[in-house]
Structure formats: structure tokens, C-alpha cells
């Protein structure tokens, strides 16, 4: 950074040699004379006046948007009367306005909903040559803040009141559908912010919608395809599923010692799946319950993992994630909350801790032991 100075108080380069020139030592006099002569030649300097420094700084826009989901994990988008693609709620940060204040103001103006959004999910640098800006706009680039609007209840969604102009409608979209509904850069940013929310690792730094430090969820591209849908009703164990029902897709809630569970991510699609109950050696296994859907029972087992063997299928990455993260990466409908409650009861039964939300950890292909 250049050093700032006022013109009237610039340092006098010749003054520092005055004392040296008066010393009796001949060598010192020669050195001083040499240096005194040198200052007659202007040298490059980093000194700048405040006016010069201010003029040298780049100017960019600032914006703020809010990412809101419904109880099913779909993202709130709004239609506007000035463009065909859809947007997250938000807009420009006004002069002398804090980004979080701008986010709250925009949601109030556009949706008629009061709120406070202090948690940042992402900060994105949008380059000046980003597509979609007409030359006459002279777009200088933008720093755009994405804030967490949380999950809105049915009652809050029904309280939305649109203004007479600008916002023509809202709807909730599956994360995988965002690229088809939004500008490409807006969709990248929204998906990165949604992954940052699921990660729980703090605000993500983005450049044109792409994380500068990708997490496992970013690298594997989760949410780029539709989440596996398994709606239906939850039936807790330990009673087995009725004998007349065919069993399909048995899965395990397999706990690591820190209370997280094993999760599979398909590398080709980014979809999340619970593993088979036999995915590794376990202790304390018991039937957790089953999902009833499509006239079938989908049984769940809970157990404590003692190790994770070498990966049998390189098409899948194996992660450790919290039960909440597993649910958010899936489309389980209202029964997902009931199953989640059963999972936490199983964790307590297995005497395991409640894990804090941290970014899911990808396990090595060779496996691990505890």
C-alpha cells in the first residue's frame, strides 16, 4: 500500500545529511557529500497525497441478497418485471448502508417481510467483464454479499406481500433447477451459498460464484442434480416392517465415534445416499424403523462403526456428516424430521456425543480405523 502524506509535510531528503556534513571525519564527509549529490536526482517514491491515493483506488458496486429455503429445502426465487430469469431477494447496497441492513431493507421492500439477517453465507467478487451487463451500464464489477435468510415456515411464506411494481411472483425451486431458472453466475453463487450453509464452516469466499477454497461438498458438486426423493411415512422401530410389505433399499445410520454418520456421494451426479447396513464393521446394531413409500418398506438400521474398510466402489465418495446435513442433502418430506429425531435417540442410546456442524469430511479410499 502506498504511504500517505500531506504535500506540506513531505520528508526533506537533503535534511538527513546536514549533521553528517558537519562531522570532522573525512570519510563521513565524503559519504555525506556523495549522498547529498544523489538527492538531486529524483527517485521513484510510493508517497501519495490522500487525494492521489483516493483517485488510484478501483471502484466496484456492492450488493446484498438473501438465501431463503422452505421446510423441504427448496430455494425462494422471485420473478421480476425487468428480466426473464429469476433472482434471490435483494439488490444494491445504498451509500453509507451496511450490507446486512441492505439485505433486510430489500426483503422488506420486495416481499413485505420484516427480518434481520446477520449471518453471511458467501461474499462473491463479480468481475467487470461478467456477461449480462450492457456496455452503456459501464459495470465496474461488484462485491455481492449472500446472507442466510433461514428456513421459512408455511405461515411466514403466506405472509409475503408483493409490491405493486418490480416483483411479479415468488416460488420455491429445487437446488438442481437453479441453473435453468437463473443467470449462470447467479445460480453458481446460490448453490455455493447453499453448500456453505449446509457445511456450517463460516462465510465462503467466492470469485464469480466459485469458492476460492472448495470444500468436499463443492468438489463433489452436491445438489447439482435432484436430491433423492423418498417421501412417505416414518414408522419407528424396534418392531420390524409388516411381513406382507416388500423390503427395498435397506440403509444404515452408521455412527463414527464423534457422533457423525457415514454418507455416500455419487461422484457422477453429486447425489447423497445412506450406506448399506453392512458398509463396515459395527457394534450395537438395532432396527431404527422404516419408511413406507411406494407400497414398500425402506428399513433403517442404527449402529456404531468400529472402522471403515477400503472403498469397494470408486464411483462413490465416503463422507462423515452430521445427521442434519444428511437430511438437508436429501428430499425426505415432512417425515424426515421424525426420522431425524429417531436418529438422535439412537445416538444417545449408543452413548455417542452430539456432533457440532462442521464441513463434512471425505474419508480416504483406503478406509480408516478408530
Amino acid at each position: 500500500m502506498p504511504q500517505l502524506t500531506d504535500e506540506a509535510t513531505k520528508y526533506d531528503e537533503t535534511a538527513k545529511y546536514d549533521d553528517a556534513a558537519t562531522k570532522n571525519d573525512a570519510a563521513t564527509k565524503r559519504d555525506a557529500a556523495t549522498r547529498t549529490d544523489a538527492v538531486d536526482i529524483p527517485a521513484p517514491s510510493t508517497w501519495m497525497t490522500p487525494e492521489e491515493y483516493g483517485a488510484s483506488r478501483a471502484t466496484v458496486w456492492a450488493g446484498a441478497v438473501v438465501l431463503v429455503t422452505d421446510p423441504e429445502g427448496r430455494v425462494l426465487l422471485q420473478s421480476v418485471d425487468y428480466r426473464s430469469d429469476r433472482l434471490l431477494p435483494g439488490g444494491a447496497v445504498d451509500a453509507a448502508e451496511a450490507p446486512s441492513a441492505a439485505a433486510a431493507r430489500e426483503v422488506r421492500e420486495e416481499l413485505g417481510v420484516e427480518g434481520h439477517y446477520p449471518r453471511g453465507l458467501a461474499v462473491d467478487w463479480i468481475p467487470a467483464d461478467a456477461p449480462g451487463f450492457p456496455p452503456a451500464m459501464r459495470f465496474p464489477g461488484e462485491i455481492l454479499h449472500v446472507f442466510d435468510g433461514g428456513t421459512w415456515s408455511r405461515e411466514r411464506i403466506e405472509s409475503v406481500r408483493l409490491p405493486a411494481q418490480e416483483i411479479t411472483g415468488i416460488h420455491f425451486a429445487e437446488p438442481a433447477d437453479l441453473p435453468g431458472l437463473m443467470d449462470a453466475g447467479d445460480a453458481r453463487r446460490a448453490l455455493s451459498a447453499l453448500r456453505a450453509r449446509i457445511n456450517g464452516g463460516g462465510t465462503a469466499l467466492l470469485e464469480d460464484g466459485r469458492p476460492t477454497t472448495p470444500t468436499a461438498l463443492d468438489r463433489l458438486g452436491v445438489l447439482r442434480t435432484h436430491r433423492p426423493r423418498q417421501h412417505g411415512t416414518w414408522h419407528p422401530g424396534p418392531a420390524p416392517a409388516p411381513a406382507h410389505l416388500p423390503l427395498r433399499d435397506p440403509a444404515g445410520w452408521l455412527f463414527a465415534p464423534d457422533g457423525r454418520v457415514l454418507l455416500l456421494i455419487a461422484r457422477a451426479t453429486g447425489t447423497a445416499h445412506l450406506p448399506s447396513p453392512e458398509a463396515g464393521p459395527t457394534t450395537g446394531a438395532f432396527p431404527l424403523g422404516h419408511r413406507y413409500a411406494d407400497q414398500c418398506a425402506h428399513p433403517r438400521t442404527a449402529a456404531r462403526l468400529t472402522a471403515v474398510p477400503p472403498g469397494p466402489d470408486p464411483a462413490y465418495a465416503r463422507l462423515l456428516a452430521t445427521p442434519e446435513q444428511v437430511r438437508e442433502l436429501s428430499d425426505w418430506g415432512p417425515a424426515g424430521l421424525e426420522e431425524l429425531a429417531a436418529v438422535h435417540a439412537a445416538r444417545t442410546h449408543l452413548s455417542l456425543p452430539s456432533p457440532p456442524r462442521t464441513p463434512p469430511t471425505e474419508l480416504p479410499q483406503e478406509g480408516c480405523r478408530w
Side-chain angles (χ1 to χ4, degrees), residues 12 23 27 34 48 53 64 70 89-90 117 134 151 153 203-204 207 254 279 284 312 318-319 321 324 344:
D12 182 359
K23 293 185 180 294
T34 301
M48 300 175 73
Y53 182 70
D70 68 2
Y117 313 105
T151 298
S153 65
T203 305
E207 292 182 356
L254 306 182
R318 298 177 298 174
L319 278 64
E324 287 79 8
H344 282 299

Side-chain angles (χ1 to χ4, degrees), residues 121-134:
L121 294 176
V123 178
D124 192 14
W125 171 79
I126 305 172
D129 60 356
F133 295 92

Side-chain angles (χ1 to χ4, degrees), residues 17-281:
Y17 304 119
D18 290 347
D19 290 342
T22 62
K23 293 185 180 294
N24 295 324
D25 185 89
T28 303
K29 288 182 179 180
R30 286 195 300 273
D31 290 344
T34 301
R35 286 178 286 168
T36 303
D37 292 341
V39 299
D40 294 332
I41 302 173
S45 174
T46 59
W47 291 93
M48 300 175 73
T49 66
E51 293 80 4
E52 291 169 338
Y53 182 70
S56 74
R57 293 300 300 267
T59 299
V60 295
W61 292 356
V65 296
V66 179
L67 188 142
V68 172
T69 54
D70 68 2
E72 280 71 55
R74 299 175 299 173
V75 178
L76 187 156
L77 298 178
Q78 53 189 25
S79 302
V80 295
D81 58 14
Y82 54 87
R83 56 191 290 179
S84 58
D85 47 24
R86 298 177 185 180
L87 304 169
L88 297 180
V93 176
D94 290 342
E97 184 179 35
S100 61
R105 173 182 55 76
E106 288 285 348
V107 172
R108 181 175 64 253
E109 293 174 353
E110 295 178 343
L111 303 179
V113 176
E114 295 285 346
H116 179 50
Y117 313 105
R119 183 185 173 210
L121 294 176
V123 178
D124 192 14
W125 171 79
I126 305 172
D129 60 356
F133 295 92
M137 191 176 288
R138 302 177 66 183
F139 177 62
E142 185 171 17
I143 301 297
L144 196 143
H145 302 257
V146 185
F147 290 94
D148 189 358
T151 298
W152 284 12
S153 65
R154 297 294 175 202
E155 293 74 18
R156 192 168 195 187
I157 294 170
E158 291 171 0
S159 73
V160 169
R161 296 294 180 267
L162 301 183
Q165 297 179 334
E166 185 183 1
I167 312 301
T168 59
I170 66 165
H171 84 286
F172 287 85
E174 267 294 308
D177 292 334
L178 298 184
L181 298 170
M182 308 176 76
D183 166 82
D186 291 345
R188 280 197 304 273
R189 182 183 314 112
L191 284 172
S192 292
L194 186 55
R195 293 179 190 127
R197 180 209 268 187
I198 295 171
N199 274 323
T203 305
L205 299 181
L206 313 178
E207 292 182 356
D208 200 16
R210 300 177 178 90
T212 59
T213 308
T215 65
L217 299 188
D218 297 309
R219 292 192 302 271
L220 294 167
V222 301
L223 303 176
R224 71 180 188 270
T225 57
H226 284 108
R227 297 173 296 165
R229 180 182 174 88
Q230 192 176 98
H231 287 205
T233 55
W234 171 252
H235 300 269
H244 69 278
L245 289 178
L247 301 182
R248 180 183 295 176
D249 303 325
W253 287 96
L254 306 182
F255 291 89
D258 64 1
R260 292 185 293 173
V261 295
L262 187 63
L263 177 66
L264 305 181
I265 303 291
R267 296 185 186 276
T269 62
T271 54
H273 306 270
L274 286 172
S276 161
E278 293 81 33

